[in-house]
């Protein structure tokens, strides 16, 4: 009997690729009829990083019904639409080869939110496309709403650059300040591609979103009740990589975890800003001043900014003594630890962690909620400013250090603001801490039998099989 097969096409960014693999595993665990092929795209400049990531993810896979197919490397300065267009012939060829197998029936494509041009290839094969949206439901609703504003009301998003305007969104109860709009929307060069991606979402058979009803009920309801015109939305999260990819067995990781084992429960604030979240020396020193002033136990993952054009990887700070205030490491040796790369999931799971100063990437947000660790927001790029505003104002699940910081700006967040945020996120009996704990409990139930995400995933599988050609 032929088994229905889904072809996943993720972009090679760490968060997107990891989430795609976890979503694939979730589908296979739920339905024995399915098989999945994951096509690996990569730029030559990122080849080693992506290969290492694939190796770590492969180690977490036990099913024989999932396979990785490496496509040829492509040269590109970014992972934008041009990069995806270059890959369409490679994807077409790879799927054609799959189709020669006697046990193969192509059920559809599952495309990363940035891979919309591949809908053309799916159409050629006569199968539906599903979008795997790696941000939250509110941001998806925002993208659709902004497309409508531009195309139907002739609103130019770039007019909001450096603006104090606020936008009323169907997916939010509160108005959204223009200052937290993604940078790509505010520039004439990048805005058209963003809007084109939003237009093509409407061609998909369904949208798989890494979120759950209990977290984003207003946004999900606005997408399902007709308030926002959208394909069917399947909130199947939280989709998390909780077991692999962090190399927790390494000597560096063991040292970190042993240090945390010696700290009291909920006593350590963890500072980590993602693989692209590096700081210049002047900003790093402000963080150091804040940590020293508040006297809080801390674990700080400090990296340097990535070279221009590099989209993935991690650059540890090579000269901590020169990067931080003089003798800072000596003065804080009893209460703090400055590290390079961090095994983030393992750290957040550690009982000693009481707060998380985060860039508010969506995966990091879901991980923090899963472990009941409140966030102090410090967004850096992409849609993280949007996420930070949502967490602080819309959901009441985080405290604010800043919601509109951008890593490519000259703004320096001052030590006093950082200190205030750290003290606030570490308050043990705060309302926010209680709300995060409650949401943590809900996040662990939604994928159980009868949970909201469990039901949504079943609906997705049945719809995919019913829509097979």
């Amino acid at each position: 009997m032929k088994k229905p097969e889904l072809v996943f096409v993720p972009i090679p960014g760490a968060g997107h690729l990891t989430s795609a693999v976890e979503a694939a595993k979730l589908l296979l665990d739920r339905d024995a009829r399915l098989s999945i092929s994951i096509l690996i795209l990569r730029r030559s400049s990122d080849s080693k990083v992506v290969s290492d990531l694939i190796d770590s993810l492969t180690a977490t896979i036990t099913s024989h019904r999932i396979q990785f197919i490496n496509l040829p490397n492509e040269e590109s300065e970014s992972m934008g639409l041009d990069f995806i267009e270059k890959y369409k012939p490679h994807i077409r060829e790879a799927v054609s080869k799959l189709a020669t197998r006697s046990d193969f029936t192509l059920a559809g494509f599952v495309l990363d939110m940035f891979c919309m041009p591949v809908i053309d290839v799916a159409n050629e094969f006569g199968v539906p496309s599903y979008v795997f949206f790696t941000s939250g439901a509110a941001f998806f609703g925002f993208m659709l709403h902004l497309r409508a504003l531009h195309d139907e009301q002739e609103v130019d998003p770039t007019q909001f650059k450096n603006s104090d305007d606020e936008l009323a969104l169907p997916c939010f109860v509160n108005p959204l300040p223009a200052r937290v709009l993604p940078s790509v929307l505010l520039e004439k060069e990048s805005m058209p591609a963003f809007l084109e991606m939003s237009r093509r979402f409407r061609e998909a058979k369904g949208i798989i979103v890494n979120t759950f009803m209990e977290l984003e009920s207003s946004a999900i309801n606005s997408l399902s009740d007709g308030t926002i015109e959208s394909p069917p939305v399947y909130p199947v999260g939280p989709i998390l990589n909780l077991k692999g990819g962090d190399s927790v067995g390494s000597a560096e990781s063991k040292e970190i975890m042993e240090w945390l084992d010696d700290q009291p429960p909920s006593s350590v604030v963890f500072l980590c800003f993602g693989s692209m979240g590096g700081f210049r020396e002047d900003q790093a020193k402000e963080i150091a001043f804040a940590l020293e002033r508040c006297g809080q136990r801390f674990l700080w993952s400090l990296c340097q900014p990535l070279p221009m054009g590099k989209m993935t990887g991690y650059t540890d700070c090579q000269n901590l003594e020169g990067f931080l205030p003089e003798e800072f490491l000596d003065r804080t040796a009893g209460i703090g630890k400055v590290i390079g790369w961090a095994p983030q999931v393992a750290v957040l799971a550690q009982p000693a962690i009481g707060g998380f100063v985060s860039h508010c990437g969506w995966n990091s947000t879901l991980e923090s909620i899963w472990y009941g660790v409140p966030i102090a927001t410090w967004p850096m790029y992409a849609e993280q400013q949007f996420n930070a505003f949502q967490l602080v104002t819309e959901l009441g699940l985080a405290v604010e250090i800043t919601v509109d910081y951008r890593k490519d700006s000259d703004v320096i967040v001052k030590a006093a603001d950082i200190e205030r945020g750290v003290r606030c996120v570490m308050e043990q009996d705060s309302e926010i801490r209680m709300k995060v704990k409650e949401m943590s409990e809900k996040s662990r139930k939604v994928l159980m039998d009868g949970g909201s995400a469990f039901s949504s995933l079943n609906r997705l599988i049945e719809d995919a099989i019913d829509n097979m050609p």
Side-chain angles (χ1 to χ4, degrees):
M1 177 180 177
K2 291 186 176 182
K3 288 184 176 293
E5 182 141 357
L6 293 170
V7 174
F8 275 59
V9 186
I11 63 168
H16 291 254
L17 185 52
T18 300
S19 292
V21 172
E22 291 304 314
K25 289 159 61 177
L26 191 63
L27 286 165
L28 295 182
D29 287 345
R30 188 59 55 83
D31 198 302
R33 294 172 291 179
L34 294 174
S35 294
I36 291 174
S37 294
I38 300 177
L39 307 187
I40 303 302
L41 290 56
R42 72 186 91 197
R43 302 181 304 171
S44 298
S45 58
D46 297 324
S47 183
K48 176 65 166 61
V49 174
V50 173
S51 294
D52 290 346
L53 178 60
I54 293 295
D55 288 344
S56 67
L57 293 172
T58 302
T60 70
I61 295 173
T62 57
S63 174
H64 65 280
R65 293 181 288 127
I66 186 170
Q67 65 171 330
F68 294 99
I69 299 175
N70 289 300
L71 302 185
N73 292 356
E74 282 288 354
E75 297 292 343
S76 179
E77 293 182 0
S78 71
M79 292 185 194
L81 293 180
D82 290 344
F83 174 68
I84 303 303
E85 286 286 349
K86 288 181 179 180
Y87 263 103
K88 285 165 65 173
H90 300 311
I91 294 168
R92 187 179 298 113
E93 181 181 0
V95 177
S96 295
K97 288 181 179 178
L98 286 172
T100 63
R101 289 186 357 223
S102 60
D103 61 342
F104 179 84
T105 301
L106 182 60
F109 284 66
V110 178
L111 306 177
D112 187 278
M113 56 196 281
F114 290 109
C115 292
M116 290 301 92
V118 184
I119 286 180
D120 298 334
V121 181
N123 291 340
E124 292 172 17
F125 283 96
V127 296
S129 296
Y130 298 87
V131 176
F132 182 47
F133 197 82
T134 51
S135 296
F139 190 65
F140 176 68
F142 162 73
M143 289 184 68
L144 294 183
H145 179 68
L146 198 73
R147 192 279 315 163
L149 284 179
H150 180 273
D151 293 356
E152 298 165 17
Q153 300 182 34
E154 299 183 348
V155 174
D156 181 358
T158 62
Q159 75 184 47
F160 297 118
K161 187 173 183 178
N162 301 319
S163 166
D164 292 326
D165 289 349
E166 293 185 330
L167 287 74
L169 301 180
C171 54
F172 270 174
V173 174
N174 298 282
L176 181 79
R179 61 192 173 90
V180 303
L181 292 175
S183 296
V184 294
L185 276 178
L186 306 176
E187 303 296 339
K188 293 286 187 182
E189 299 79 13
S190 54
M191 183 266 292
F194 189 93
L195 288 173
E196 179 60 21
M197 179 169 60
S198 302
R199 294 185 189 105
R200 300 214 68 176
F201 286 155
R202 295 182 296 169
E203 300 177 43
K205 193 68 176 176
I207 313 294
I208 306 164
V209 188
N210 189 7
T211 190
F212 53 101
M213 175 62 77
E214 289 78 354
L215 177 63
E216 292 192 278
S217 57
S218 294
I220 293 170
N221 287 332
S222 72
L223 292 164
S224 59
D225 65 8
T227 304
I228 301 175
E229 182 184 350
S230 168
V233 171
Y234 303 93
V236 300
I239 299 171
L240 302 171
N241 178 19
L242 300 177
K243 296 181 179 179
D246 268 346
S247 300
V248 291
S250 69
E252 295 84 355
S253 294
K254 287 181 178 178
E255 181 183 341
I256 292 166
M257 304 312 292
E258 288 172 359
W259 183 83
L260 286 171
D261 286 340
D262 292 335
Q263 311 307 314
S266 301
S267 67
V268 177
V269 61
F270 176 41
L271 300 92
C272 187
F273 302 91
S275 59
M276 293 169 60
F279 289 114
R280 304 192 310 264
E281 180 180 336
D282 47 2
Q283 183 63 81
K285 286 183 175 177
E286 290 293 322
I287 297 173
F289 291 143
L291 292 173
E292 190 168 5
R293 287 177 192 172
C294 68
Q296 184 67 56
R297 295 174 189 268
F298 67 86
L299 179 68
W300 179 9
S301 176
L302 175 59
C303 75
Q304 294 175 282
L306 287 172
M308 186 66 68
K310 191 169 176 59
M311 298 291 291
T312 190
Y314 198 95
T315 306
D316 288 349
C317 188
Q318 301 300 315
N319 181 20
L320 286 179
E321 293 288 355
F323 212 67
L324 298 171
E326 187 175 354
E327 297 183 351
F328 167 80
L329 294 174
D330 292 334
R331 291 193 302 273
T332 59
I335 63 166
K337 191 173 184 63
V338 180
I339 60 175
W341 168 90
Q344 180 171 292
V345 169
V347 169
L348 289 172
Q350 232 283 347
I353 299 298
F356 184 21
V357 179
S358 172
H359 61 305
C360 302
W362 193 247
N363 287 338
S364 294
T365 296
L366 293 177
E367 290 165 4
S368 196
I369 289 172
W370 179 268
Y371 289 112
V373 179
I375 287 176
T377 62
W378 192 329
M380 306 285 286
Y381 55 93
E383 91 292 7
Q384 293 165 9
Q385 293 83 14
F386 182 100
N387 294 344
F389 171 81
Q390 181 183 12
L391 286 168
V392 172
T393 304
E394 190 74 6
L395 302 178
L397 293 174
V399 303
E400 177 182 347
I401 291 178
T402 173
V403 295
D404 57 357
Y405 176 87
R406 300 176 193 272
K407 71 171 189 173
D408 55 358
S409 72
D410 294 325
V411 173
I412 299 296
V413 181
K414 296 302 182 182
D417 295 324
I418 302 168
E419 179 184 355
R420 186 198 70 250
V422 169
R423 290 184 183 279
C424 189
V425 80
M426 293 301 290
E427 288 181 10
Q428 293 304 304
D429 298 320
S430 68
E431 180 181 355
I432 286 174
R433 184 174 296 276
M434 297 302 105
K435 290 183 71 172
V436 172
K437 291 291 186 186
E438 291 174 7
M439 192 59 70
S440 172
E441 294 172 3
K442 292 177 180 178
S443 75
R444 291 167 179 260
K445 294 178 180 178
V446 295
L447 278 168
M448 297 178 182
D449 194 349
S452 62
F454 181 96
S455 300
S456 187
L457 188 65
N458 285 347
R459 185 162 49 89
L460 167 64
I461 292 170
E462 292 306 319
D463 287 353
I465 291 177
D466 288 346
N467 285 301
M468 285 174 56

